[in-house]
Amino acid sequence: MDTTKNPSGDSSNFESFMHNSSSRRSATAMSIQSRSSGWNSTREVTFAHSGSKPVRYGSKGADSEALSMSQREISDEDARLIYIDDPERTNQRFEFAGNSIRTGKYSVFTFLPRNLFEQFHRVAYVYFLIIAILNQLPQLAVFGRGVSILPLAFVLLVTAVKDAYEDWRRHRSDKVENNRLALVLVDGNFQEKKWKEIRVGEIIKISANEAIPCDFVLLSTSDPTGVAYVQTLNLDGESNLKTRYAKQETQSKFHDRERVSGLIKCEKPNRNIYGFQANMDIEGKRLSLGSSNIILRGCELKNTKWALGVAVYCGRETKAMLNNSGAPSKRSRLETRMNSEIIMLSVFLVALCTVTSVCAAVWLKRHKNELNLLPYYRKLYFPEGKEDNYEYYGWGLEILFTFLMSVIVYQIMIPISLYISMELVRVGQAYFMIKDSRMYDEATNSRFQCRALNINEDLGQIKYVFSDKTGTLTENKMEFQCASIYGVDYSTAEASLEYEQAVQVDGKVLKPKMKVKVNQDLLQLSKSRFANVEGKQIYDFFLALAACNTIVPIITETSDPAVKLIDYQGESPDEQALAYAAAAYGFMLIERTSGHIVVDIHGERHRFNVLGLHEFDSDRKRMSVILGYSDNSVKLFVKGADTSMLSVIDKSSNKGIIQATETHLHSYSSLGLRTLVIGMRDLNASDFEQWHFAFEAASTALIGRAALLRKVATNVENNLCILGATAIEDKLQQGVPESIESLRSAGIKVWVLTGDKQETAISIGYSSKLLTNSMTQIIIKSNNREHCRRSLHDALVMSRKNTSASGVANYPEGSSDAITIPIALIIDGTSLVYILDNELEEELFQLASRCSVVLCCRVAPLQKAGIVALVKNRTADMTLAIGDGANDVSMIQMADVGVGISGQEGRQAVMASDFAMGQFRFLVPLLLIHGHWNYQRLGYMILYNFYRNAIFVLILFWYVLFTAFTLTTAINEWSSMLYSIIYTAIPTIVVGILDKDLSKRTLLKYPQLYGAGQRQEAYNNKLFLFTMADTLWQSIVVFFVPFIAYWGSTIDVASIGDLWTISVVILVNLHLAMDVIRWNWIAHAAIWGSIIATFICVMVIDVIPALSGSWAIFHAASNGLFWLCLLGIVIAALLPRFVVKFIHQYYFPSDIQISREADKFGNQRVNRGGQIEMHPTR
């Protein structure tokens, strides 16, 4: 028989006090407004602008400033005043933002100027604009005025169309969102209004499963206790239900159909989605409001029939819109490095222009008396029969004009088409990354996400990987394993079996959704309850597990109408695991409201008043709940990390229990289990009253409330009696050990940064193959700066000795190939506090750079970013950070490449990342396959574009030298424009997207091949200079072979210009064809199609009178010498390159070339048991 024991059955002064104070408590005694995403994780820390103060990664920060600010009352000028159900008065003083949102960047009127302004942030575009403007001047007009501006206009148009389409999609989405309907209270009746018409101060009614149109303070719900369940999936990606509460003062009025009027004084709009501070004045009372009283735009109402709220932030001032910013803008290392080559090309361009202008100056001096007779300078006309003089501007101006005209003629030395080609190639690469089945997560039905298109190639150059542990290396699906209660270890594996508890409620069976393995001895003892001392201790322990949390029990239906399941929804997987464990041992939480909880204890229903609750925060690293019993006693239950709990345990009594518990904690951690310590304290009337008044004062403070509440929690959470400890297993994700081994084989250093304690992190390190038995472990765990300094110094000395000793032992002759014994550095967060804030940073870097593995324990979010910055600021190597929670955001944004895991801790990490995926193991194909391909392709494409444009410019330069430096061109101006757009653009884009130097299987089998990107083998100064030397030779061949062949003939300029055009297009496409590794029909169509398209375009240009109309190509091609020149040019130009390439690949092959040969010929050597020897990775 079920009985419900209510603590309000008896009355006393103490109970009366608690009852009277309950109306002033925030729902569930809303406490420290922080985000709990696991006991060992911490709140999101952003790099907010801090004025002139430097970011101190190691410091914990003080609350003194916040505490001092919170002592004074906020003025009306510093707050937002909202009059409930009175939007006119609310907006009378100054108009608040409407509820219309706009995520689009442009409007019809601002699109053109703003888009052009953004595009011209690229200096190359400004360069080409200046060139086009110069060409409009009559004195400098080399090409047709329209033709000169077409290349820049084409690039600008393509980018503008892409931007316009993306913005049109945003505007379309905004229109749908703004026109959704909601019920708004108008003149005492609810009327439908469009979302965009909602104003601050209006009361809104939301029904079940409807989205919230704005940020509103909850006033009333269909639940008599004022509780509402919301899902924040659209806000932070978390599917677990959250509880929000209405104040009892407003809850009762709406149920009695009374009109509510009052004043809300809240903070001004800000981006903190986990915090809200306000006061509400109603009927002469001042009530504190916190994050548990506000529902944000984008949330959905669940398991609640209806909810009423007053709008406090609308439209662009809502927290969701203030956080509506994408991942930080990053530039790829390859593109940054490319700038130096562009500067070199610019210097070369200036040199060509200088040579041309100087030679022209000398020529003008020598022929100054003949200028009137030369057609290049004599531009006579005879108006009214009178001869006018030629247009000659003087020797100095002519030199200046020649220089500027040279810049116009040689302009494509800086390849404008390269930028748009790179964008298109990156889009194509992203498409294939997204479609890769190797990176598809079946568990979450999610594909790889490419959120930053501009750093694809950086994936092929990563040297350091910084990884979170919980949820990134592990599944973040917690399973309760064992417990230590009052010094007794209940972890005997053979006594454990899966057990399912069930209770009867209203004639139906209620079961927990998840089964938990239980210890049979412990289960029997838990049923004894108060029969003995052990039973009483176990009772308190499991009651703490069931009550000390923010779990919301949701009843769900099953296929059997007589059976229902309890689904524990919570923000932390740890809390869920402990709640299910308590239920398995007979302490089943079945109801939670704003003021009480109901726990079924072995068939008897017990109701406990929740008198106060302090949620978990990263400073205290614990949470607590104050429960009122039926006998009017009050108890405080606390759980948290062992380091924070053991400091508040009363050590004067039960020393043996504390020591035994510490021993068990060490044992659990060594097994890789996550541990928590449980404590309790009885509160007498005086203690409770003292806490209550302090809590009320802190919770009504509008500024610094969090710091004050933290101080209140710290004061009450002391002198605790230890109840025991729990151990939860967070299993490794599938493929993590193999993935880490592959990354390390690829020469990538993997650092793990976790909030777990040292023993847990080390255990996970071994199971994930991050740590091995052959490694020498250096552990730094210091409590003060001086001790930390000595530890670092000793560790550095030991690492140097280790390197020397191993080198001598293995290579007595002093070989440079000495192999050192791998070193693993393990350091805790306390030590990092002292290291990251002073000159010890450099010593830590020197030590860490000598280590194969670095494992950081008990680190805060800002420390994670500090460790990444430590490496990033002291080395040119590329860094990648990967994590899944809000506490990883700062680390992800600090690294060169940020990867978010879409796991159990929401989407904060995903939203801040450059790339997102479902599992850590997907990092291997992402880096070793796609990263390698992207880097190799884009590195080659950049060099090829430099070559392709430079050879064309040099041909024009050679021609100028033989035409009196007049900058006339033999190549038609239309062909000059189409050269970079049609003749040669498509093949390089196709190869940049589709070419594969090695197969996926080979890249995964030999991770060492990834080192090519780390060594920058595909793009470096040596390759650039070699490419330019080859370009110089090929340009000489292309120009001088026809020049010599047709010397003395009567061929016209247009004909030889067409020969040069066709020959250079054939040459650059064959040059590309020589380097294509994997041929497919698209590559064939692009390369050979471009050559055919060039012939067609040249013929069309020569046929149309408005363009050229000289029919030059037909006259030239009718002569066999034309075709002989084409053949001779191709052979002579490509022969040196072919010879050098043959010698290099045959006598000095790289790892990639050797593997390519093995891949190409069916791996006969490998199949016979042979091995491919790789160069050692750095």
Side-chain angles (χ1 to χ4, degrees):
M1 176 178 177
D2 293 346
T3 61
T4 302
K5 298 185 179 181
N6 195 318
S8 61
D10 302 326
S11 61
S12 68
N13 293 334
F14 184 31
E15 181 187 12
S16 176
F17 169 77
M18 292 189 295
H19 175 75
N20 292 333
S21 67
S22 64
S23 62
R24 299 183 59 197
R25 292 193 307 268
S26 79
T28 57
M30 287 318 103
S31 53
I32 300 168
Q33 309 303 332
S34 66
R35 172 95 177 141
S36 172
S37 58
W39 289 106
N40 292 310
S41 63
T42 47
R43 293 174 299 181
E44 176 180 355
V45 178
T46 58
F47 292 102
H49 298 292
S50 55
S52 61
K53 295 181 180 180
V55 177
R56 309 299 287 176
Y57 296 109
S59 60
K60 296 179 180 178
D63 296 321
S64 56
E65 183 180 353
L67 285 169
S68 63
M69 290 179 64
S70 65
Q71 302 302 323
R72 65 176 185 268
E73 181 63 30
I74 189 169
S75 65
D76 290 351
E77 288 75 17
D78 296 329
R80 164 169 290 202
L81 304 179
I82 296 103
Y83 295 91
I84 300 174
D85 197 21
D86 193 349
E88 300 299 333
R89 188 179 178 188
T90 299
N91 293 273
Q92 183 178 10
R93 185 175 175 185
F94 54 86
E95 189 74 20
F96 291 125
N99 201 40
S100 176
I101 64 165
R102 178 181 167 187
T103 58
K105 292 172 60 177
Y106 313 106
S107 68
V108 175
F109 301 104
T110 64
F111 174 76
L112 190 61
R114 185 173 178 183
N115 186 262
L116 288 176
F117 176 77
E118 290 176 352
Q119 291 200 58
F120 277 106
H121 274 70
R122 278 180 167 164
V123 180
Y125 287 9
V126 178
Y127 163 78
F128 282 101
L129 178 64
I130 294 172
I131 295 295
I133 292 173
L134 290 176
N135 198 71
Q136 306 306 306
L137 303 177
Q139 297 87 349
L140 305 177
V142 178
F143 304 113
R145 295 183 180 181
V147 173
S148 65
I149 207 166
L150 276 178
L152 177 62
F154 175 77
V155 173
L156 293 174
L157 178 64
V158 170
T159 306
V161 169
K162 176 179 73 74
D163 292 342
Y165 173 70
E166 291 177 351
D167 204 57
W168 172 78
R169 292 178 62 186
R170 295 191 196 102
H171 280 289
R172 184 178 62 177
S173 175
D174 292 345
K175 186 176 180 180
V176 172
E177 189 82 355
N178 289 329
N179 289 317
R180 296 173 72 173
L181 298 176
L183 291 175
V184 178
L185 188 64
V186 180
D187 298 328
N189 296 312
F190 284 103
Q191 300 178 7
E192 282 191 341
K193 255 190 180 185
K194 292 182 178 178
W195 279 22
K196 63 182 179 182
E197 298 172 354
I198 295 174
R199 294 187 298 167
V200 174
E202 290 184 322
I203 293 178
I204 305 161
K205 183 176 183 179
I206 304 297
S207 300
N209 300 318
E210 288 185 352
I212 311 301
C214 61
D215 296 352
F216 71 57
V217 169
L218 196 60
L219 297 177
S220 182
T221 73
S222 57
D223 189 291
T225 62
V227 67
Y229 302 110
V230 296
Q231 189 178 65
T232 59
L233 186 67
N234 295 329
L235 193 64
D236 59 14
E238 295 191 8
S239 58
N240 292 332
L241 298 185
K242 315 295 189 304
T243 51
R244 298 293 181 264
Y245 303 91
K247 291 295 182 180
Q248 291 300 318
E249 287 78 0
T250 58
Q251 169 74 12
S252 58
K253 284 185 174 294
F254 280 99
H255 279 273
D256 296 337
R257 299 187 178 276
E258 297 181 31
R259 187 178 186 275
V260 176
S261 62
L263 174 65
I264 294 177
K265 185 187 292 186
C266 65
E267 58 190 352
K268 290 185 177 180
N270 58 71
R271 299 176 60 182
N272 183 10
I273 63 175
Y274 303 118
F276 175 68
Q277 296 184 7
N279 291 330
M280 178 166 59
D281 294 328
I282 185 168
E283 295 182 342
K285 295 181 180 179
R286 168 156 293 187
L287 309 175
S288 66
L289 301 174
S291 60
S292 60
N293 306 118
I294 187 173
I295 306 181
L296 305 183
R297 179 183 181 127
C299 300
E300 287 187 8
L301 191 66
K302 297 289 185 181
N303 291 59
T304 309
K305 290 183 179 179
W306 55 262
L308 300 178
V310 57
V312 290
Y313 305 125
C314 287
R316 64 177 181 273
E317 294 180 342
T318 58
K319 293 179 182 291
M321 291 303 298
L322 291 174
N323 280 278
N324 187 23
S325 60
S329 178
K330 298 178 181 178
R331 293 189 65 192
S332 76
R333 183 68 58 87
L334 204 60
E335 189 172 347
T336 303
R337 186 180 178 84
M338 186 180 75
N339 288 338
S340 62
E341 274 70 41
I342 286 188
I343 292 173
M344 292 174 65
L345 287 176
S346 301
V347 172
F348 185 59
L349 172 64
V350 171
L352 291 181
C353 296
T354 302
V355 169
T356 303
S357 57
V358 168
C359 291
V362 173
W363 191 91
L364 286 173
K365 279 290 186 183
R366 289 182 177 180
H367 300 83
K368 61 181 178 180
N369 297 325
E370 307 170 22
L371 296 180
N372 200 43
L373 303 174
L374 296 174
Y376 299 111
Y377 290 92
R378 184 178 176 85
K379 301 175 182 177
L380 301 179
Y381 61 98
F382 302 90
E384 301 177 357
K386 183 180 179 181
E387 180 179 328
D388 196 2
N389 199 7
Y390 56 83
E391 297 179 10
Y392 181 64
Y393 299 97
W395 187 73
L397 282 178
E398 285 292 334
I399 295 174
L400 176 63
F401 289 158
T402 301
F403 184 87
L404 295 177
M405 290 170 67
S406 301
V407 174
I408 296 173
V409 173
Y410 306 148
Q411 61 179 294
I412 66 168
M413 177 67 78
I414 310 299
I416 187 173
S417 59
L418 174 59
Y419 291 100
I420 193 168
S421 297
M422 288 175 68
E423 286 193 12
L424 294 174
V425 166
R426 285 165 173 162
V427 169
Q429 292 173 347
Y431 172 81
F432 286 106
M433 286 193 289
I434 292 169
K435 292 296 183 181
D436 190 348
S437 60
R438 284 180 172 82
M439 296 190 291
Y440 170 72
D441 186 18
E442 293 182 358
T444 59
N445 191 28
S446 60
R447 289 192 174 276
F448 176 82
Q449 297 178 44
C450 187
R451 297 171 51 84
L453 289 175
N454 54 339
I455 58 172
N456 291 354
E457 60 274 20
D458 283 350
L459 294 170
Q461 306 169 76
I462 301 299
K463 184 66 177 178
Y464 289 88
V465 168
F466 300 91
S467 174
D468 176 41
K469 185 189 76 69
T470 305
T472 304
L473 298 179
T474 61
E475 294 180 351
N476 203 17
K477 293 180 180 178
M478 311 301 177
E479 293 183 7
F480 182 85
Q481 293 296 322
C482 48
S484 169
I485 303 176
Y486 271 81
V488 180
D489 181 13
Y490 296 96
S491 59
T492 310
E494 56 269 17
S496 299
L497 56 86
E498 207 167 69
Y499 181 74
E500 185 177 58
Q501 191 73 247
V503 298
Q504 291 284 336
V505 177
D506 299 329
K508 294 185 178 180
V509 178
L510 206 58
K511 295 181 179 180
K513 186 178 179 180
M514 184 183 297
K515 295 181 180 180
V516 177
K517 289 183 179 180
V518 299
N519 183 288
Q520 289 300 302
D521 296 336
L522 181 57
L523 180 61
Q524 293 301 320
L525 287 171
S526 69
K527 294 178 181 180
S528 64
R529 300 181 60 183
F530 302 104
N532 50 51
V533 177
E534 286 183 334
K536 174 64 171 62
Q537 295 167 347
I538 292 170
Y539 179 93
D540 289 336
F541 178 83
F542 283 114
L543 180 59
L545 298 190
C548 191
N549 53 55
T550 56
I551 289 293
V552 178
I554 304 296
I555 308 300
T556 59
E557 302 291 337
T558 65
S559 56
D560 186 353
V563 178
K564 293 186 178 182
L565 297 180
I566 292 186
D567 182 10
Y568 288 139
Q569 295 281 337
E571 299 179 6
S572 164
D574 297 78
E575 285 193 339
Q576 291 174 300
L578 294 179
Y580 280 118
Y585 282 98
F587 291 73
M588 189 182 299
L589 176 66
I590 60 176
E591 182 182 338
R592 178 184 293 278
T593 68
S594 60
H596 72 268
I597 60 172
V598 177
V599 181
D600 186 287
I601 302 177
H602 292 292
E604 292 185 6
R605 297 182 67 186
H606 293 255
R607 172 172 164 158
F608 301 90
N609 281 346
V610 179
L611 305 176
L613 187 145
H614 292 279
E615 292 184 3
F616 173 88
D617 72 75
S618 59
D619 293 317
R620 291 161 44 246
K621 294 185 179 179
R622 55 183 179 265
M623 76 165 292
S624 58
V625 62
I626 299 176
L627 296 184
Y629 282 64
S630 58
D631 60 359
N632 298 325
S633 62
V634 177
K635 292 186 179 181
L636 170 75
F637 291 98
V638 189
K639 69 177 180 182
D642 54 356
T643 52
S644 66
M645 287 293 293
L646 293 175
S647 63
V648 295
I649 294 292
D650 182 9
K651 295 189 172 78
S652 61
S653 60
N654 298 322
K655 291 184 179 179
I657 296 176
I658 296 174
Q659 290 177 354
T661 304
E662 289 179 335
T663 302
H664 298 155
L665 285 170
H666 181 80
S667 174
Y668 298 158
S669 299
S670 300
L671 297 174
L673 302 178
R674 295 162 62 89
T675 57
L676 289 174
V677 173
I678 315 297
M680 183 190 75
R681 176 189 173 190
D682 289 316
L683 296 180
N684 55 38
S686 175
D687 293 334
F688 178 78
E689 185 175 351
Q690 184 180 357
W691 167 86
H692 174 76
F693 283 118
F695 180 82
E696 288 295 312
S699 61
T700 54
L702 200 55
I703 296 180
R705 182 187 299 174
L708 286 170
L709 285 169
R710 187 158 53 246
K711 185 177 180 181
V712 172
T714 304
N715 289 338
V716 75
E717 294 167 350
N718 58 64
N719 296 322
L720 302 179
C721 171
I722 191 167
L723 293 177
T726 61
I728 301 172
E729 181 180 14
D730 187 8
K731 292 184 178 179
L732 281 177
Q733 290 182 12
Q734 178 186 351
V736 166
E738 294 80 6
S739 299
I740 290 179
E741 193 172 21
S742 295
L743 293 176
R744 292 181 59 193
S745 298
I748 298 174
K749 294 185 176 182
V750 181
W751 292 22
V752 173
L753 318 177
T754 177
D756 283 340
K757 61 184 301 184
Q758 180 178 299
E759 292 82 4
T760 303
I762 291 175
S763 177
I764 292 295
Y766 277 112
S767 59
S768 64
K769 294 187 178 179
L770 185 70
L771 300 175
T772 62
N773 293 325
S774 61
M775 289 182 176
T776 300
Q777 290 187 10
I778 296 177
I779 299 177
I780 297 178
K781 192 173 183 180
S782 306
N783 295 322
N784 57 72
R785 181 175 280 103
E786 188 55 37
H787 185 260
C788 194
R789 186 192 305 273
R790 289 198 306 270
S791 299
L792 269 178
H793 180 266
D794 295 342
L796 265 172
V797 172
M798 191 180 82
S799 66
R800 293 190 184 108
K801 287 182 179 178
N802 180 67
T803 303
S804 335
S806 59
V808 171
N810 290 289
Y811 296 88
E813 297 180 5
S815 170
S816 60
D817 295 329
I819 302 175
T820 62
I821 298 174
I823 300 174
L825 172 64
I826 300 162
I827 186 169
D828 72 332
T830 306
S831 301
L832 289 172
V833 169
Y834 304 116
I835 292 174
L836 296 179
D837 275 356
N838 55 46
E839 69 280 0
L840 296 179
E841 282 188 354
E842 183 61 34
E843 291 186 34
L844 176 61
F845 174 74
Q846 293 295 331
L847 175 61
S849 61
R850 295 173 174 269
C851 299
S852 303
V853 173
V854 177
L855 193 58
C856 301
C857 318
R858 296 295 197 198
V859 289
L862 204 57
Q863 287 179 327
K864 291 184 178 183
I867 294 165
V868 176
L870 178 77
V871 175
K872 187 178 176 182
N873 297 336
R874 287 173 170 78
T875 177
D877 294 326
M878 296 288 293
T879 59
L880 179 147
I882 180 170
D884 72 318
N887 57 335
D888 302 316
V889 168
S890 54
M891 173 179 72
I892 287 172
Q893 292 180 337
M894 175 60 69
D896 295 304
V897 178
V899 179
I901 298 288
S902 50
Q904 304 291 318
E905 294 193 21
R907 293 179 57 83
Q908 298 95 324
V910 170
M911 291 186 288
S913 66
D914 306 304
F915 305 96
M917 53 192 184
Q919 297 280 329
F920 179 85
R921 59 190 168 93
F922 297 160
L923 201 59
V924 172
L926 177 64
L927 298 184
L928 270 56
I929 297 177
H930 294 285
H932 174 86
W933 284 345
N934 294 345
Y935 170 72
Q936 295 289 331
R937 293 163 176 167
L938 216 57
Y940 176 81
M941 193 190 80
I942 293 172
L943 290 174
Y944 177 79
N945 272 268
F946 288 156
Y947 150 77
R948 182 189 69 182
N949 285 34
I951 190 174
F952 193 83
V953 169
L954 287 171
I955 292 171
L956 300 177
F957 175 74
W958 302 132
Y959 183 77
V960 165
L961 297 182
F962 291 92
T963 54
F965 317 103
T966 54
L967 294 165
T968 57
T969 59
I971 297 176
N972 183 277
E973 61 184 23
W974 282 98
S975 289
S976 297
M977 181 198 68
L978 295 175
Y979 177 77
S980 296
I981 298 175
I982 295 179
Y983 295 172
T984 59
I986 296 177
T988 181
I989 294 173
V990 169
V991 172
I993 295 174
L994 298 178
D995 196 29
K996 301 175 183 177
D997 60 343
L998 291 166
S999 66
K1000 294 179 181 180
R1001 186 186 60 81
T1002 301
L1003 289 171
L1004 290 177
K1005 188 173 182 179
Y1006 303 107
Q1008 298 92 331
L1009 295 170
Y1010 184 80
Q1014 298 169 339
R1015 296 187 293 270
Q1016 300 177 353
E1017 291 183 1
Y1019 187 84
N1020 51 53
N1021 288 332
K1022 182 179 178 181
L1023 279 176
F1024 174 76
L1025 295 176
F1026 174 79
T1027 300
M1028 290 299 103
D1030 189 27
T1031 302
L1032 181 63
W1033 163 254
Q1034 292 189 27
S1035 69
I1036 292 172
V1037 172
V1038 172
F1039 178 81
F1040 285 101
V1041 167
F1043 184 81
I1044 295 171
Y1046 284 97
W1047 184 265
S1049 70
T1050 58
I1051 189 171
D1052 61 346
V1053 172
S1055 297
I1056 199 168
D1058 287 344
L1059 174 56
W1060 279 328
T1061 300
I1062 292 173
S1063 61
V1064 74
V1065 170
I1066 293 175
L1067 181 62
V1068 298
N1069 278 286
L1070 288 177
H1071 178 109
L1072 180 64
M1074 285 178 62
D1075 295 328
V1076 173
I1077 309 300
R1078 298 293 174 93
W1079 283 93
N1080 51 61
W1081 69 269
I1082 300 178
H1084 280 292
I1087 293 175
W1088 314 125
S1090 293
I1091 295 175
I1092 296 171
T1094 302
F1095 272 100
I1096 295 173
C1097 289
V1098 169
M1099 288 188 289
V1100 169
I1101 291 170
D1102 281 352
V1103 167
I1104 299 176
L1107 301 180
S1108 172
S1110 62
W1111 295 78
I1113 183 64
F1114 299 97
H1115 298 307
S1118 61
N1119 191 334
L1121 184 60
F1122 176 90
W1123 302 102
L1124 188 61
C1125 282
L1126 283 180
L1127 180 62
I1129 287 170
V1130 170
I1131 295 174
L1134 294 179
L1135 185 61
R1137 176 177 178 81
F1138 178 81
V1139 171
V1140 171
K1141 194 172 182 179
F1142 171 80
I1143 293 173
H1144 182 266
Q1145 293 187 4
Y1146 191 82
Y1147 294 103
F1148 311 100
S1150 65
D1151 292 342
I1152 292 177
Q1153 290 158 357
I1154 295 171
S1155 302
R1156 188 186 303 153
E1157 292 297 317
D1159 201 16
K1160 181 178 180 181
F1161 295 107
N1163 298 295
Q1164 292 97 338
R1165 264 195 312 159
V1166 178
N1167 291 336
R1168 291 195 301 266
Q1171 294 295 324
I1172 299 177
E1173 184 178 350
M1174 300 289 173
H1175 291 305
T1177 55
R1178 292 188 296 114

